[in-house]
Amino acid sequence: VDMKWKLGVAMSSDTCRSLRFPYVAVTLRVADPSGQITDKSFEMSIPQFKNFFRQFKEMAAVLETV
């Protein structure tokens, strides 16, 4: 139904003082066959997000031909 994403940088955590790596946080809003809508959230590295985006574009292109 919807997709939101944001770019972030993890600076530190309780277990690691210096992370400093970028990540992409994605939230997908999906509807099941009954119409129930749920949010699914996950984080990816930049290379993972680029691959995800490429696959998403391929899926959109296929859906346009249907």
Side-chain angles (χ1 to χ4, degrees):
V1 177
D2 192 21
M3 179 177 133
K4 295 180 182 179
W5 64 273
K6 64 181 176 179
L7 180 63
V9 177
M11 297 305 289
S12 66
S13 74
D14 292 341
T15 58
C16 185
R17 289 187 163 278
S18 180
L19 295 173
R20 296 188 188 116
F21 67 90
Y23 65 91
V24 178
V26 178
T27 300
L28 298 175
R29 179 162 279 185
V30 295
D32 67 18
S34 69
Q36 177 88 20
I37 295 176
T38 56
D39 289 338
K40 307 290 183 183
S41 298
F42 51 94
E43 293 179 357
M44 295 179 276
S45 67
I46 300 299
Q48 288 172 321
F49 181 71
K50 286 180 178 179
N51 185 45
F52 174 79
F53 182 70
R54 181 185 52 78
Q55 291 175 345
F56 210 78
K57 283 176 55 176
E58 289 173 5
M59 288 187 297
V62 169
L63 288 174
E64 286 181 9
T65 64
V66 175

